[in-house]
Amino acid sequence: MSITDLQKGMATLITVFHKYSGKEGDKTTLSKGELKELLSTELGDILGKSSDKAALDKIFKDLDANADGTVDFQEYITLVACITMLCNEFFTGKK
């Protein structure tokens, strides 16, 4: 049985999260610094190479739904889903 494209995508989402989580502490969450590195490295082409601290602070605050000072896997997946929806709207011309 071969792995499907969707299963590959899910595995990639998990792998990318864990590539950055735990560099500054808890392996199950992203700190603000880890999130910044993930966004600039993995999504830089989409988000632009913004070094705007205020923009990063807002993204982090909005993502940190439970206000614990970190971004957990569920909060990370929410970000990826939102960006994916925006990309789909851009490429299909729907707004």
Side-chain angles (χ1 to χ4, degrees):
M1 185 171 154
S2 64
I3 189 167
T4 67
D5 287 343
L6 184 56
Q7 290 168 337
K8 287 177 197 171
M10 291 165 55
T12 299
L13 288 172
I14 294 166
T15 300
V16 168
F17 178 84
H18 291 291
K19 177 178 173 182
Y20 297 92
S21 67
K23 289 183 176 187
E24 297 178 8
D26 189 339
K27 292 181 180 181
T28 64
T29 62
L30 296 166
S31 67
K32 190 180 291 185
E34 291 165 345
L35 178 65
K36 180 179 181 182
E37 184 181 358
L38 185 153
L39 292 175
S40 64
T41 304
E42 303 291 337
L43 294 172
D45 293 345
I46 294 173
L47 299 178
K49 297 286 183 185
S50 174
S51 58
D52 183 352
K53 187 177 182 314
L56 176 66
D57 287 346
K58 178 164 179 17
I59 290 170
F60 191 83
K61 187 174 183 226
D62 290 347
L63 281 180
D64 185 14
N66 62 1
D68 67 353
T70 61
V71 171
D72 64 22
F73 188 76
Q74 183 173 342
E75 293 162 339
Y76 155 78
I77 289 297
T78 300
L79 170 68
V80 173
C82 290
I83 293 171
T84 304
M85 289 171 57
L86 290 172
C87 290
N88 183 57
E89 288 173 6
F90 175 80
F91 288 116
T92 60
K94 295 179 179 176
K95 292 185 179 180

